[in-house]
């Protein structure tokens, strides 16, 4: 090998080494995002499964599964989670305690996907039969809020029933043991307890009584201020997933790959997925900033839920204004980037 050839090879090796080192450094410096999700059947599970969120954000995402919104709020409060999926009740409780969060996307208005089920053989045929019975529900969740609202509507004193604080997997286990008479919960636990129980009411009906509930994505304010482009990309991908469901969701039957993917991430059965998706209204990206949603309606809904939680003694006080806990910024940014 001539001196020229040797120098050329060594230079090439050095260049490769520099390129590799740069790649390693870029990898090491890649932004990491921790996102809390729940086992709710909804369209954004598809981009979660195929890595679309990571590609859009150009970041590494650690997806953590949680069983309740209260657990998600606790993780966000500790700084362990950046973006999280919660229901309107835990969101209201967190905002009322002035946790530095913002609502960035309304996932859906909850309907039949959350329900109060009474056990076969529990001798509960009408609401008044709940008195003296054991009812399980995850505390400070949308189902807890709906249960209390239903009892109020029926004129039943919550103290006249035994309300137990159980997470969804615990509810399914307690139900199978025969430890509880009724439960207000969501899927996949809801589907399991329906097998030997009947629905007494659901969140669609409770909503007509003046206590609607919804799910939403929230973000820690400090993370949003530091990484606004990541939050906007998250909102954009979620909106695209909902648009895809609106356009093609009618064809997602039990044998479709979409149903299989959603079932894998939620624990629901693939054959249940199509019906469960119908239990929500999923607002599109161009609806999000409207007066009905992030443009004002969500603020009112949080205020109303907070007032109810205060009345029930679940939070110490309500705020005069919940506007700081809702933002249209990232929806607007996502739309502008289309």
């Amino acid at each position: 090998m001539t001196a020229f050839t040797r120098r050329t090879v060594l230079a090439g090796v050095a260049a490769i080494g520099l390129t590799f080192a740069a790649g390693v450094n870029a990898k090491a410096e890649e932004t990491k995002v921790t996102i809390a999700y729940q086992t709710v059947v909804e369209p954004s599970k598809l981009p979660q499964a195929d890595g679309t969120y990571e590609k859009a954000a150009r970041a590494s995402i650690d997806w953590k599964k949680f069983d309740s919104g209260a657990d998600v709020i606790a993780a966000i409060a500790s700084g362990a989670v950046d973006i999280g999926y919660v229901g309107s009740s835990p969101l209201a409780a967190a905002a009322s305690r002035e946790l530095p969060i913002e609502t960035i996307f309304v996932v859906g208005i909850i309907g039949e996907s959350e329900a109060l089920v009474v056990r076969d053989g529990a001798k509960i045929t009408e609401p008044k039969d709940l008195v003296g019975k054991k009812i399980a529900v995850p505390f400070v969740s949308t189902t807890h809020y709906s249960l209390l609202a239903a009892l109020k509507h029926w004129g039943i004193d919550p103290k006249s029933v035994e309300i137990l604080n159980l997470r969804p997997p615990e509810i399914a286990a307690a139900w199978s043991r025969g430890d509880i008479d009724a439960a207000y919960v969501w899927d996949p636990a809801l589907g399991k307890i329906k097998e030997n129980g009947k629905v007494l009411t659901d969140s669609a009906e409770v909503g007509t009584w003046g206590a609607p509930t919804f799910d939403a994505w929230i973000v820690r304010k400090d993370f949003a201020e530091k990484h606004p482009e990541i939050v906007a990309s998250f909102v954009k991908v979620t909106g695209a997933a909902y648009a895809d469901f609106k356009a093609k969701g009618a064809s997602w039957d039990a044998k479709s790959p979409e149903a299989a993917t959603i079932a894998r991430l939620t624990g629901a059965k693939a054959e249940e997925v199509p019906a469960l998706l119908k239990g929500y209204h999923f607002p599109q990206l161009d609806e999000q900033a409207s007066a009905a949603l992030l443009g004002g309606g969500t603020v009112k809904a949080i205020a109303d839920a907070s007032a109810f939680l205060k009345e029930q003694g679940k939070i110490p006080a309500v705020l005069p204004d919940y506007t700081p806990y809702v933002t249209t910024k990232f929806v607007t940014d996502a739309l502008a980037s289309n």
Side-chain angles (χ1 to χ4, degrees):
M1 182 182 294
T2 66
F4 175 77
T5 302
R6 186 165 55 251
R7 286 196 301 274
T8 301
V9 170
L10 290 174
V13 170
I16 292 171
L18 288 171
T19 301
F20 176 77
V24 169
N25 289 335
K27 189 75 174 178
E29 295 173 3
E30 184 178 38
T31 301
K32 295 181 180 179
V33 188
T34 301
I35 300 179
Y37 75 97
Q38 294 191 56
T39 57
V40 177
V41 171
E42 48 90 26
S44 72
K45 292 296 189 294
L46 297 175
Q48 176 183 340
D50 67 15
T52 299
Y53 280 109
E54 286 85 346
K55 293 173 186 175
R58 298 180 182 178
S60 172
I61 298 179
D62 181 14
W63 294 92
K64 292 186 177 294
K65 185 177 72 126
F66 286 79
D67 291 322
S68 74
D71 291 341
V72 173
I73 292 296
I76 287 179
S78 72
V81 163
D82 303 307
I83 297 172
Y85 186 108
V86 298
S88 49
S89 185
L91 168 55
S96 296
R97 292 185 171 91
E98 301 184 83
L99 189 70
I101 55 173
E102 290 179 308
T103 307
I104 56 174
F105 196 96
V106 175
V107 173
I109 308 305
I110 301 172
E112 298 173 2
S113 58
E114 294 186 355
L116 173 61
V117 179
V118 296
R119 171 188 297 285
D120 292 344
K123 298 181 180 179
I124 303 172
T125 57
E126 55 184 325
K128 68 178 183 179
D129 297 331
L130 292 170
V131 174
K133 304 295 186 180
K134 292 181 180 180
I135 306 175
V137 66
F139 277 15
V140 198
S141 65
T142 47
T143 52
H144 190 197
Y145 173 78
S146 296
L147 172 62
L148 294 175
L151 293 176
K152 182 179 180 180
H153 175 77
W154 291 324
I156 298 173
D157 185 347
K159 294 178 182 178
S160 69
V161 299
E162 187 176 354
I163 302 177
L164 305 175
N165 181 18
L166 297 179
R167 294 182 175 88
E170 297 167 339
I171 287 176
W175 189 276
S176 65
R177 294 192 302 266
D179 294 344
I180 53 179
D181 303 302
Y184 207 137
V185 72
W186 55 88
D187 282 291
L190 177 59
K192 292 178 181 177
I193 67 176
K194 279 182 178 179
E195 292 174 1
N196 59 330
K198 66 176 182 179
V199 174
L200 193 61
T201 189
D202 59 39
S203 294
E205 184 174 37
V206 176
T208 67
W209 299 337
T213 51
F214 63 91
D215 286 343
W217 285 104
I218 62 174
V219 66
R220 284 200 349 259
K221 286 187 178 181
D222 59 342
F223 180 85
E225 290 169 359
K226 188 175 181 180
H227 302 289
E229 72 291 344
I230 290 179
V231 181
S233 75
F234 179 88
V235 167
K236 184 174 182 178
V237 170
T238 305
Y242 287 8
D244 190 55
F245 172 70
K246 183 179 181 180
K248 306 173 185 176
S251 66
W252 296 0
D253 59 24
K255 296 182 180 180
S256 68
E258 292 85 359
T261 298
I262 293 173
R264 177 169 57 83
L265 284 178
T266 62
K269 297 177 182 177
E271 56 267 28
E272 298 173 332
V273 169
L276 293 175
L277 286 168
K278 293 178 182 178
Y280 277 82
H281 164 64
F282 298 109
Q284 300 297 296
L285 186 59
D286 59 3
E287 297 177 62
Q288 292 287 328
S290 69
L293 296 178
L294 298 176
T298 301
V299 173
K300 183 180 184 303
I302 294 173
D304 290 346
S306 297
F308 185 85
L309 292 173
K310 171 66 169 59
E311 178 186 320
Q312 297 295 322
K314 303 303 178 185
I315 58 174
V318 297
L319 303 179
D321 183 16
Y322 285 88
T323 303
Y325 299 92
V326 179
T327 180
T328 61
K329 169 180 167 48
F330 302 107
V331 167
T332 302
D333 289 350
L335 287 169
S337 66
N338 283 336

